[in-house]
Amino acid sequence: MSDISEQKIAARLMSDGFVRTDPVTSTLADPVTDTPVIVTLDELRPYELDPRLTRNPLYDEIKTSIRERGLDAPPPITRRPGSSHYIIRNGGNTRLAILRELWAETRDERFFRISCLFRPWPERGEIVALTGHLAESELHGSLSFIERALGVEKVRELYEQEDGKSLSQSELSRRLRADGYPVPQPHISRMQEAIQYLLPAIPQVLYGGLGRHQVGQLTSLRRASARVWEAHAAVRQVDIDFATLFQDVLAVFDNTVGNFNLQRVQDELIGQMADLLGVVYDTLALEIVDAEKRWQILTSEPVAAPPAKPCVATSPQPVPAHRSPLPPSSLPPLEAPVPESSMQTKPGPVQPPVSVDEQDEKDERSMLIQEHIVSAAPTTDRLLSLQRLIADHTGEPHNNFENNVLQAIPVQVGGLYPISDIWYIDPDLNDPDRLRTHIAQFALEIATEAGVGDHIVPSDFGIGFSCTDQLPQIPHADTAVTIASPSAILTLLHVLSAPYLPASASATRLDTARLAEELGVLLLGMAQPITPPRNHFHILTDNGLVKLFRLMRLARRLLELEAGIKGGDGIITGS
């Protein structure tokens, strides 16, 4: 074999056959923990599902700040598995757009190469990213109502892809709260109505920033008008359906938000309905008021309605000749009863119902009331109306559960975990470990009042605590009156906790037989002719009694959760 020169060896070593072309080895793997990295604008892309579809109203202020001070808060970034570029993880698309503008204008390296915090792509990456962008956008230049609505709708689609089933509005609200972007169910309802009924007709107005209040007024008007239309169209042949009519009327007013006038929309809609149905305009207007009033009664809890706020028009508008010339304020709000005097005059355009904020308060109050109901007392609207009528006639206050529940049930008791409501359990407390911590603390505070706090031992099992052996027995006073010794409260707490503890942990020498003799005095107090020494008896104080009730309430919820009813979905309301 002939010798190979050094030059040939070097040439062969440098040939293409020794070049590594495997795409996996061409780049380093992404970090598996949060890691500061330096990226360039060429490597960074905006998040494709960014809910912000219009220019950030604070764009100019943010740009001025970045030009003068630099990027004080670089956006966190991430990367989908297998992707060649980074994306903004949550919030920061506006800052990225500004950096690109400043780089094009100045060619300043500080706008091109930025230090960011890289966060690994999570298991539920798209959902985490989208909810993060929604939450971040709320903090830095609020999104318009329609942008939030479209973002929530996209999250709903991702949830349904993840679960393989459709979600109700209540379930969607719960899932959003769990992922850090809480949206009440009434808001979700208005969002979906806005996407379905308003966006096709007035996209320019909605993207221009039409607010939640006006959207709520429009959707209320649409619902009330649709119910009246269906009633009349059932007995009269009409060539157009209400959905098309509503879209056609609304599309005429799609210009700018500043020129959008809800009163004109109402007036035009009722006017065209009157022409097509052959019904007098004033009659239709009153029917729409009555329809909305009945709908509110049927679909909401009977709570005291706050006074309706008048709808504010952006500018005064002339009233067409075929309309009633009276101002909007002459017509009662949609959900208020129509005064007899107003039936004798011609009404103006339909006044929208209570404001969206007021409706949200009513919805939240209704949900809180439901949490206080163990089982609904059988009653009817007619019975409630009669009770209210009798109370008004006699001058007696009407005993209304919905009005009194939030004042009657709550109490105030101090301690490590102050009690403001015995019955209501906050959703954040629906965790076995947290419930055990609270229960053990209440047991300790109750026992401490009797001087036996040292005998309460927190536990990771059962309902959260156990009791150690009994105290030395204190002899009864020389009277015929039964008294409760301080060990009685310890025995009571032991009786509550022992059935749920392991046999080894629940074994004590506490005399449970005496509890039957002492329980009444312990809970109710006593009036004895001869008062024994204070350290010879114990009566549960009012504070201790409230804590005992709260302890039992939390223990019941803990046992429900331990039985496998997770997340509150299967728990009976108020249980």
Short mmCIF file of all heavy atoms in Angstrom, two decimals, residues 240-303:
data_model
loop_
_atom_site.label_atom_id
_atom_site.label_comp_id
_atom_site.label_asym_id
_atom_site.label_seq_id
_atom_site.Cartn_x
_atom_site.Cartn_y
_atom_site.Cartn_z
N ILE A 240 -89.62 38.92 5.87
CA ILE A 240 -88.27 39.03 6.41
C ILE A 240 -88.25 38.53 7.83
O ILE A 240 -89.23 38.69 8.57
CB ILE A 240 -87.79 40.51 6.33
CG1 ILE A 240 -86.31 40.63 6.75
CG2 ILE A 240 -88.66 41.41 7.18
CD1 ILE A 240 -85.75 42.04 6.56
N ASP A 241 -87.17 37.89 8.23
CA ASP A 241 -87.08 37.45 9.62
C ASP A 241 -86.43 38.53 10.46
O ASP A 241 -85.80 39.47 9.94
CB ASP A 241 -86.30 36.14 9.73
CG ASP A 241 -84.86 36.26 9.24
OD1 ASP A 241 -84.50 37.32 8.71
OD2 ASP A 241 -84.10 35.29 9.37
N PHE A 242 -86.57 38.40 11.79
CA PHE A 242 -86.09 39.47 12.67
C PHE A 242 -84.58 39.61 12.62
O PHE A 242 -84.06 40.72 12.68
CB PHE A 242 -86.55 39.23 14.10
CG PHE A 242 -86.06 40.30 15.05
CD1 PHE A 242 -86.70 41.53 15.12
CD2 PHE A 242 -84.94 40.10 15.85
CE1 PHE A 242 -86.25 42.52 15.98
CE2 PHE A 242 -84.49 41.09 16.70
CZ PHE A 242 -85.14 42.30 16.77
N ALA A 243 -83.86 38.49 12.53
CA ALA A 243 -82.39 38.55 12.52
C ALA A 243 -81.90 39.42 11.37
O ALA A 243 -81.00 40.26 11.53
CB ALA A 243 -81.80 37.15 12.45
N THR A 244 -82.50 39.22 10.19
CA THR A 244 -82.11 40.02 9.03
C THR A 244 -82.48 41.48 9.22
O THR A 244 -81.71 42.39 8.89
CB THR A 244 -82.76 39.46 7.77
OG1 THR A 244 -82.41 38.08 7.61
CG2 THR A 244 -82.33 40.24 6.53
N LEU A 245 -83.69 41.73 9.73
CA LEU A 245 -84.13 43.11 9.96
C LEU A 245 -83.20 43.82 10.92
O LEU A 245 -82.77 44.96 10.68
CB LEU A 245 -85.56 43.10 10.52
CG LEU A 245 -86.10 44.46 10.97
CD1 LEU A 245 -86.21 45.43 9.80
CD2 LEU A 245 -87.45 44.31 11.68
N PHE A 246 -82.85 43.15 12.03
CA PHE A 246 -81.98 43.77 13.02
C PHE A 246 -80.61 44.09 12.42
O PHE A 246 -80.05 45.16 12.64
CB PHE A 246 -81.84 42.85 14.23
CG PHE A 246 -81.02 43.43 15.34
CD1 PHE A 246 -81.55 44.38 16.19
CD2 PHE A 246 -79.71 43.03 15.55
CE1 PHE A 246 -80.81 44.91 17.23
CE2 PHE A 246 -78.95 43.56 16.58
CZ PHE A 246 -79.50 44.50 17.43
N GLN A 247 -80.06 43.15 11.65
CA GLN A 247 -78.76 43.38 11.01
C GLN A 247 -78.82 44.55 10.05
O GLN A 247 -77.92 45.39 10.01
CB GLN A 247 -78.32 42.12 10.26
CG GLN A 247 -78.07 40.91 11.15
CD GLN A 247 -76.71 40.93 11.82
OE1 GLN A 247 -75.74 41.31 11.21
NE2 GLN A 247 -76.67 40.52 13.06
N ASP A 248 -79.89 44.62 9.24
CA ASP A 248 -80.02 45.70 8.25
C ASP A 248 -80.13 47.07 8.92
O ASP A 248 -79.52 48.05 8.48
CB ASP A 248 -81.24 45.45 7.36
CG ASP A 248 -81.06 44.26 6.45
OD1 ASP A 248 -79.91 43.80 6.30
OD2 ASP A 248 -82.07 43.77 5.89
N VAL A 249 -80.93 47.13 9.99
CA VAL A 249 -81.09 48.41 10.70
C VAL A 249 -79.77 48.82 11.34
O VAL A 249 -79.33 49.97 11.24
CB VAL A 249 -82.20 48.29 11.77
CG1 VAL A 249 -82.20 49.52 12.68
CG2 VAL A 249 -83.55 48.13 11.10
N LEU A 250 -79.10 47.88 12.00
CA LEU A 250 -77.88 48.20 12.72
C LEU A 250 -76.75 48.60 11.78
O LEU A 250 -75.94 49.48 12.09
CB LEU A 250 -77.47 46.99 13.57
CG LEU A 250 -76.52 47.25 14.75
CD1 LEU A 250 -77.10 48.28 15.69
CD2 LEU A 250 -76.25 45.94 15.49
N ALA A 251 -76.68 47.96 10.60
CA ALA A 251 -75.59 48.23 9.66
C ALA A 251 -75.58 49.68 9.19
O ALA A 251 -74.52 50.22 8.84
CB ALA A 251 -75.67 47.28 8.47
N VAL A 252 -76.73 50.32 9.19
CA VAL A 252 -76.80 51.72 8.75
C VAL A 252 -75.99 52.63 9.66
O VAL A 252 -75.49 53.68 9.23
CB VAL A 252 -78.28 52.17 8.70
CG1 VAL A 252 -78.40 53.65 8.37
CG2 VAL A 252 -79.06 51.32 7.70
N PHE A 253 -75.83 52.23 10.90
CA PHE A 253 -75.18 53.09 11.89
C PHE A 253 -73.71 52.71 12.12
O PHE A 253 -73.11 53.12 13.11
CB PHE A 253 -75.94 53.01 13.22
CG PHE A 253 -77.36 53.46 13.12
CD1 PHE A 253 -78.37 52.54 12.85
CD2 PHE A 253 -77.70 54.80 13.24
CE1 PHE A 253 -79.69 52.95 12.75
CE2 PHE A 253 -79.01 55.22 13.14
CZ PHE A 253 -80.02 54.28 12.89
N ASP A 254 -73.13 51.93 11.22
CA ASP A 254 -71.74 51.51 11.38
C ASP A 254 -70.80 52.57 10.81
O ASP A 254 -70.36 52.49 9.67
CB ASP A 254 -71.50 50.16 10.68
CG ASP A 254 -70.11 49.60 10.96
OD1 ASP A 254 -69.59 49.90 12.05
OD2 ASP A 254 -69.58 48.88 10.10
N ASN A 255 -70.49 53.58 11.61
CA ASN A 255 -69.54 54.61 11.18
C ASN A 255 -68.44 54.74 12.21
O ASN A 255 -67.52 53.93 12.25
CB ASN A 255 -70.26 55.94 10.91
CG ASN A 255 -71.39 56.19 11.91
OD1 ASN A 255 -71.17 56.15 13.12
ND2 ASN A 255 -72.60 56.40 11.40
N THR A 256 -68.52 55.69 13.09
CA THR A 256 -67.53 55.85 14.16
C THR A 256 -68.24 55.82 15.50
O THR A 256 -69.44 56.11 15.60
CB THR A 256 -66.76 57.17 14.02
OG1 THR A 256 -67.69 58.26 14.11
CG2 THR A 256 -66.02 57.22 12.69
N VAL A 257 -67.49 55.48 16.53
CA VAL A 257 -68.09 55.38 17.86
C VAL A 257 -68.64 56.72 18.31
O VAL A 257 -69.71 56.79 18.92
CB VAL A 257 -67.04 54.87 18.87
CG1 VAL A 257 -67.62 54.85 20.27
CG2 VAL A 257 -66.57 53.48 18.48
N GLY A 258 -67.94 57.80 18.00
CA GLY A 258 -68.39 59.11 18.43
C GLY A 258 -69.74 59.50 17.85
O GLY A 258 -70.49 60.26 18.47
N ASN A 259 -70.07 58.98 16.67
CA ASN A 259 -71.34 59.31 16.03
C ASN A 259 -72.41 58.26 16.26
O ASN A 259 -73.54 58.42 15.78
CB ASN A 259 -71.14 59.49 14.51
CG ASN A 259 -70.25 60.68 14.21
OD1 ASN A 259 -70.26 61.67 14.93
ND2 ASN A 259 -69.48 60.58 13.14
N PHE A 260 -72.07 57.19 16.97
CA PHE A 260 -73.05 56.12 17.19
C PHE A 260 -74.06 56.56 18.23
O PHE A 260 -73.70 56.99 19.33
CB PHE A 260 -72.35 54.84 17.66
CG PHE A 260 -73.27 53.66 17.78
CD1 PHE A 260 -73.67 52.98 16.65
CD2 PHE A 260 -73.73 53.26 19.02
CE1 PHE A 260 -74.52 51.88 16.76
CE2 PHE A 260 -74.58 52.17 19.13
CZ PHE A 260 -74.98 51.48 18.00
N ASN A 261 -75.34 56.47 17.87
CA ASN A 261 -76.41 56.95 18.74
C ASN A 261 -77.40 55.83 18.97
O ASN A 261 -78.12 55.42 18.06
CB ASN A 261 -77.12 58.16 18.09
CG ASN A 261 -78.06 58.85 19.05
OD1 ASN A 261 -78.86 58.21 19.70
ND2 ASN A 261 -77.97 60.17 19.11
N LEU A 262 -77.43 55.31 20.18
CA LEU A 262 -78.30 54.19 20.50
C LEU A 262 -79.77 54.55 20.36
O LEU A 262 -80.59 53.73 19.93
CB LEU A 262 -78.00 53.70 21.92
CG LEU A 262 -78.83 52.52 22.42
CD1 LEU A 262 -78.61 51.29 21.55
CD2 LEU A 262 -78.48 52.20 23.87
N GLN A 263 -80.13 55.78 20.70
CA GLN A 263 -81.53 56.19 20.60
C GLN A 263 -82.03 56.13 19.16
O GLN A 263 -83.17 55.74 18.89
CB GLN A 263 -81.70 57.60 21.17
CG GLN A 263 -81.36 57.74 22.64
CD GLN A 263 -82.31 56.93 23.52
OE1 GLN A 263 -83.43 56.63 23.13
NE2 GLN A 263 -81.84 56.55 24.70
N ARG A 264 -81.18 56.52 18.23
CA ARG A 264 -81.58 56.47 16.82
C ARG A 264 -81.73 55.03 16.35
O ARG A 264 -82.62 54.72 15.55
CB ARG A 264 -80.54 57.20 15.96
CG ARG A 264 -80.49 58.71 16.17
CD ARG A 264 -79.52 59.36 15.22
NE ARG A 264 -79.90 59.11 13.83
CZ ARG A 264 -79.10 59.31 12.78
NH1 ARG A 264 -77.86 59.75 12.99
NH2 ARG A 264 -79.51 59.07 11.57
N VAL A 265 -80.87 54.13 16.83
CA VAL A 265 -81.00 52.71 16.49
C VAL A 265 -82.34 52.18 16.99
O VAL A 265 -83.07 51.50 16.26
CB VAL A 265 -79.83 51.90 17.09
CG1 VAL A 265 -80.04 50.40 16.84
CG2 VAL A 265 -78.50 52.35 16.51
N GLN A 266 -82.66 52.47 18.25
CA GLN A 266 -83.93 52.03 18.81
C GLN A 266 -85.12 52.57 18.01
O GLN A 266 -86.05 51.83 17.68
CB GLN A 266 -84.04 52.48 20.26
CG GLN A 266 -82.99 51.88 21.18
CD GLN A 266 -82.94 52.56 22.54
OE1 GLN A 266 -83.51 53.64 22.72
NE2 GLN A 266 -82.27 51.94 23.48
N ASP A 267 -85.08 53.85 17.71
CA ASP A 267 -86.18 54.49 17.00
C ASP A 267 -86.36 53.89 15.60
O ASP A 267 -87.48 53.57 15.19
CB ASP A 267 -85.91 55.99 16.90
CG ASP A 267 -87.07 56.73 16.25
OD1 ASP A 267 -88.12 56.84 16.91
OD2 ASP A 267 -86.91 57.16 15.10
N GLU A 268 -85.24 53.69 14.89
CA GLU A 268 -85.33 53.14 13.54
C GLU A 268 -85.81 51.69 13.56
O GLU A 268 -86.62 51.27 12.71
CB GLU A 268 -83.95 53.22 12.86
CG GLU A 268 -83.94 52.78 11.41
CD GLU A 268 -84.80 53.66 10.52
OE1 GLU A 268 -84.96 54.86 10.84
OE2 GLU A 268 -85.31 53.14 9.50
N LEU A 269 -85.34 50.90 14.52
CA LEU A 269 -85.74 49.50 14.60
C LEU A 269 -87.24 49.38 14.88
O LEU A 269 -87.95 48.63 14.18
CB LEU A 269 -84.95 48.80 15.71
CG LEU A 269 -85.31 47.33 15.97
CD1 LEU A 269 -85.05 46.48 14.73
CD2 LEU A 269 -84.53 46.78 17.16
N ILE A 270 -87.74 50.10 15.86
CA ILE A 270 -89.17 50.02 16.18
C ILE A 270 -90.01 50.57 15.04
O ILE A 270 -91.08 50.04 14.73
CB ILE A 270 -89.46 50.75 17.50
CG1 ILE A 270 -88.69 50.09 18.65
CG2 ILE A 270 -90.95 50.75 17.81
CD1 ILE A 270 -88.83 50.79 19.98
N GLY A 271 -89.51 51.62 14.38
CA GLY A 271 -90.24 52.17 13.25
C GLY A 271 -90.40 51.17 12.11
O GLY A 271 -91.49 51.01 11.55
N GLN A 272 -89.32 50.47 11.77
CA GLN A 272 -89.41 49.49 10.69
C GLN A 272 -90.24 48.28 11.12
O GLN A 272 -90.98 47.70 10.30
CB GLN A 272 -88.01 49.05 10.26
CG GLN A 272 -87.22 50.14 9.55
CD GLN A 272 -86.08 49.58 8.72
OE1 GLN A 272 -86.13 48.44 8.26
NE2 GLN A 272 -85.07 50.39 8.51
N MET A 273 -90.15 47.88 12.37
CA MET A 273 -91.00 46.80 12.86
C MET A 273 -92.48 47.19 12.75
O MET A 273 -93.32 46.37 12.34
CB MET A 273 -90.66 46.47 14.32
CG MET A 273 -89.33 45.77 14.51
SD MET A 273 -88.91 45.52 16.27
CE MET A 273 -90.29 44.50 16.81
N ALA A 274 -92.80 48.43 13.11
CA ALA A 274 -94.20 48.89 13.04
C ALA A 274 -94.70 48.85 11.60
O ALA A 274 -95.84 48.44 11.33
CB ALA A 274 -94.30 50.29 13.63
N ASP A 275 -93.87 49.29 10.64
CA ASP A 275 -94.28 49.29 9.24
C ASP A 275 -94.51 47.88 8.72
O ASP A 275 -95.48 47.60 8.01
CB ASP A 275 -93.23 50.00 8.39
CG ASP A 275 -93.13 51.49 8.72
OD1 ASP A 275 -94.10 52.03 9.30
OD2 ASP A 275 -92.08 52.09 8.44
N LEU A 276 -93.61 46.94 9.06
CA LEU A 276 -93.70 45.58 8.52
C LEU A 276 -94.81 44.78 9.18
O LEU A 276 -95.45 43.93 8.53
CB LEU A 276 -92.36 44.87 8.72
CG LEU A 276 -91.19 45.39 7.88
CD1 LEU A 276 -89.88 44.79 8.36
CD2 LEU A 276 -91.41 45.06 6.40
N LEU A 277 -95.06 45.02 10.46
CA LEU A 277 -96.07 44.25 11.18
C LEU A 277 -97.45 44.88 11.14
O LEU A 277 -98.44 44.26 11.55
CB LEU A 277 -95.64 44.07 12.65
CG LEU A 277 -94.36 43.27 12.89
CD1 LEU A 277 -93.96 43.32 14.36
CD2 LEU A 277 -94.53 41.83 12.44
N GLY A 278 -97.51 46.14 10.67
CA GLY A 278 -98.79 46.84 10.63
C GLY A 278 -99.31 47.17 12.01
O GLY A 278 -100.52 47.14 12.26
N VAL A 279 -98.42 47.50 12.92
CA VAL A 279 -98.78 47.83 14.29
C VAL A 279 -98.35 49.27 14.58
O VAL A 279 -97.32 49.72 14.08
CB VAL A 279 -98.10 46.86 15.28
CG1 VAL A 279 -98.51 47.18 16.72
CG2 VAL A 279 -98.45 45.42 14.95
N VAL A 280 -99.16 49.96 15.38
CA VAL A 280 -98.83 51.34 15.72
C VAL A 280 -97.50 51.40 16.47
O VAL A 280 -97.22 50.55 17.33
CB VAL A 280 -99.95 51.96 16.59
CG1 VAL A 280 -99.59 53.38 17.02
CG2 VAL A 280 -101.27 51.94 15.82
N TYR A 281 -96.69 52.39 16.13
CA TYR A 281 -95.35 52.52 16.72
C TYR A 281 -95.41 52.56 18.24
O TYR A 281 -94.65 51.85 18.92
CB TYR A 281 -94.70 53.80 16.19
CG TYR A 281 -93.37 54.14 16.82
CD1 TYR A 281 -92.18 53.68 16.27
CD2 TYR A 281 -93.30 54.92 17.98
CE1 TYR A 281 -90.97 53.97 16.84
CE2 TYR A 281 -92.08 55.23 18.56
CZ TYR A 281 -90.92 54.75 17.98
OH TYR A 281 -89.71 55.04 18.55
N ASP A 282 -96.34 53.36 18.80
CA ASP A 282 -96.40 53.50 20.26
C ASP A 282 -96.78 52.18 20.92
O ASP A 282 -96.27 51.83 21.99
CB ASP A 282 -97.41 54.57 20.63
CG ASP A 282 -97.01 55.94 20.12
OD1 ASP A 282 -95.82 56.09 19.77
OD2 ASP A 282 -97.86 56.85 20.08
N THR A 283 -97.66 51.42 20.29
CA THR A 283 -98.06 50.13 20.84
C THR A 283 -96.87 49.16 20.89
O THR A 283 -96.65 48.46 21.87
CB THR A 283 -99.19 49.53 20.00
OG1 THR A 283 -100.29 50.44 19.98
CG2 THR A 283 -99.64 48.19 20.58
N LEU A 284 -96.10 49.14 19.79
CA LEU A 284 -94.93 48.26 19.75
C LEU A 284 -93.93 48.64 20.83
O LEU A 284 -93.34 47.77 21.48
CB LEU A 284 -94.25 48.35 18.38
CG LEU A 284 -94.60 47.29 17.34
CD1 LEU A 284 -93.71 47.46 16.11
CD2 LEU A 284 -94.46 45.89 17.90
N ALA A 285 -93.72 49.94 21.01
CA ALA A 285 -92.75 50.40 22.00
C ALA A 285 -93.15 49.94 23.40
O ALA A 285 -92.32 49.44 24.17
CB ALA A 285 -92.63 51.92 21.96
N LEU A 286 -94.45 50.06 23.72
CA LEU A 286 -94.90 49.62 25.04
C LEU A 286 -94.82 48.10 25.18
O LEU A 286 -94.50 47.58 26.25
CB LEU A 286 -96.34 50.09 25.27
CG LEU A 286 -96.52 51.59 25.55
CD1 LEU A 286 -97.97 51.94 25.64
CD2 LEU A 286 -95.80 51.98 26.83
N GLU A 287 -95.08 47.37 24.10
CA GLU A 287 -94.98 45.92 24.17
C GLU A 287 -93.54 45.46 24.41
O GLU A 287 -93.28 44.49 25.12
CB GLU A 287 -95.52 45.29 22.88
CG GLU A 287 -97.04 45.36 22.78
CD GLU A 287 -97.54 44.64 21.54
OE1 GLU A 287 -96.71 44.07 20.81
OE2 GLU A 287 -98.76 44.65 21.31
N ILE A 288 -92.61 46.16 23.80
CA ILE A 288 -91.20 45.82 24.01
C ILE A 288 -90.81 46.06 25.46
O ILE A 288 -90.08 45.25 26.07
CB ILE A 288 -90.31 46.61 23.04
CG1 ILE A 288 -90.52 46.10 21.62
CG2 ILE A 288 -88.84 46.52 23.44
CD1 ILE A 288 -89.80 46.91 20.55
N VAL A 289 -91.31 47.15 26.02
CA VAL A 289 -91.06 47.41 27.45
C VAL A 289 -91.61 46.28 28.29
O VAL A 289 -90.94 45.73 29.17
CB VAL A 289 -91.69 48.76 27.87
CG1 VAL A 289 -91.62 48.92 29.38
CG2 VAL A 289 -90.99 49.91 27.19
N ASP A 290 -92.87 45.89 28.02
CA ASP A 290 -93.51 44.86 28.81
C ASP A 290 -92.84 43.50 28.61
O ASP A 290 -92.70 42.71 29.55
CB ASP A 290 -94.99 44.77 28.43
CG ASP A 290 -95.80 43.98 29.45
OD1 ASP A 290 -95.65 44.27 30.65
OD2 ASP A 290 -96.56 43.09 29.03
N ALA A 291 -92.42 43.20 27.38
CA ALA A 291 -91.74 41.93 27.12
C ALA A 291 -90.44 41.82 27.90
O ALA A 291 -90.13 40.77 28.48
CB ALA A 291 -91.47 41.79 25.62
N GLU A 292 -89.68 42.89 27.93
CA GLU A 292 -88.42 42.86 28.67
C GLU A 292 -88.66 42.76 30.17
O GLU A 292 -87.94 42.08 30.89
CB GLU A 292 -87.59 44.10 28.35
CG GLU A 292 -86.24 44.15 29.03
CD GLU A 292 -85.32 43.02 28.57
OE1 GLU A 292 -85.59 42.41 27.53
OE2 GLU A 292 -84.34 42.76 29.28
N LYS A 293 -89.74 43.43 30.62
CA LYS A 293 -90.05 43.36 32.05
C LYS A 293 -90.40 41.93 32.45
O LYS A 293 -89.91 41.42 33.47
CB LYS A 293 -91.22 44.31 32.35
CG LYS A 293 -91.68 44.28 33.81
CD LYS A 293 -92.85 45.22 34.03
CE LYS A 293 -94.06 44.75 33.25
NZ LYS A 293 -95.24 45.61 33.51
N ARG A 294 -91.24 41.25 31.66
CA ARG A 294 -91.60 39.87 31.97
C ARG A 294 -90.38 38.96 31.90
O ARG A 294 -90.22 38.05 32.71
CB ARG A 294 -92.68 39.38 31.01
CG ARG A 294 -94.04 40.03 31.23
CD ARG A 294 -95.13 39.21 30.53
NE ARG A 294 -94.88 39.09 29.11
CZ ARG A 294 -95.32 39.93 28.18
NH1 ARG A 294 -96.04 40.97 28.56
NH2 ARG A 294 -95.07 39.73 26.90
N TRP A 295 -89.51 39.20 30.92
CA TRP A 295 -88.31 38.36 30.78
C TRP A 295 -87.40 38.49 31.99
O TRP A 295 -86.84 37.52 32.48
CB TRP A 295 -87.58 38.75 29.51
CG TRP A 295 -86.33 37.97 29.27
CD1 TRP A 295 -85.04 38.37 29.49
CD2 TRP A 295 -86.23 36.63 28.78
NE1 TRP A 295 -84.17 37.38 29.17
CE2 TRP A 295 -84.87 36.30 28.72
CE3 TRP A 295 -87.18 35.69 28.38
CZ2 TRP A 295 -84.42 35.07 28.28
CZ3 TRP A 295 -86.73 34.46 27.94
CH2 TRP A 295 -85.37 34.16 27.90
N GLN A 296 -87.27 39.71 32.49
CA GLN A 296 -86.43 39.93 33.67
C GLN A 296 -87.00 39.19 34.87
O GLN A 296 -86.27 38.61 35.67
CB GLN A 296 -86.33 41.43 33.98
CG GLN A 296 -85.54 42.23 32.97
CD GLN A 296 -84.06 41.94 33.04
OE1 GLN A 296 -83.59 41.44 34.03
NE2 GLN A 296 -83.35 42.26 31.97
N ILE A 297 -88.33 39.17 35.01
CA ILE A 297 -88.96 38.49 36.15
C ILE A 297 -88.75 36.98 36.07
O ILE A 297 -88.48 36.30 37.05
CB ILE A 297 -90.46 38.83 36.20
CG1 ILE A 297 -90.66 40.31 36.54
CG2 ILE A 297 -91.19 37.94 37.21
CD1 ILE A 297 -92.09 40.77 36.47
N LEU A 298 -88.87 36.43 34.84
CA LEU A 298 -88.78 34.99 34.65
C LEU A 298 -87.36 34.46 34.76
O LEU A 298 -87.14 33.32 35.14
CB LEU A 298 -89.37 34.60 33.30
CG LEU A 298 -90.89 34.77 33.15
CD1 LEU A 298 -91.30 34.51 31.71
CD2 LEU A 298 -91.63 33.84 34.08
N THR A 299 -86.37 35.27 34.41
CA THR A 299 -85.00 34.77 34.31
C THR A 299 -84.09 35.24 35.42
O THR A 299 -82.91 34.92 35.41
CB THR A 299 -84.38 35.19 32.97
OG1 THR A 299 -84.40 36.63 32.87
CG2 THR A 299 -85.15 34.60 31.81
N SER A 300 -84.58 36.02 36.37
CA SER A 300 -83.71 36.51 37.44
C SER A 300 -84.37 36.28 38.78
O SER A 300 -85.59 36.09 38.89
CB SER A 300 -83.41 38.01 37.25
OG SER A 300 -84.60 38.77 37.32
N GLU A 301 -83.53 36.29 39.82
CA GLU A 301 -84.05 36.16 41.17
C GLU A 301 -84.79 37.43 41.55
O GLU A 301 -84.42 38.53 41.13
CB GLU A 301 -82.90 35.93 42.16
CG GLU A 301 -82.21 34.60 41.98
CD GLU A 301 -83.12 33.44 42.32
OE1 GLU A 301 -83.93 33.57 43.26
OE2 GLU A 301 -83.02 32.41 41.63
N PRO A 302 -85.87 37.32 42.35
CA PRO A 302 -86.63 38.51 42.72
C PRO A 302 -85.87 39.36 43.73
O PRO A 302 -86.00 39.18 44.93
CB PRO A 302 -87.91 37.92 43.33
CG PRO A 302 -87.50 36.58 43.84
CD PRO A 302 -86.45 36.10 42.89
N VAL A 303 -85.03 40.25 43.25
CA VAL A 303 -84.29 41.16 44.12
C VAL A 303 -84.78 42.57 43.87
O VAL A 303 -85.38 42.87 42.85
CB VAL A 303 -82.77 41.08 43.84
CG1 VAL A 303 -82.26 39.70 44.18
CG2 VAL A 303 -82.45 41.42 42.40
#
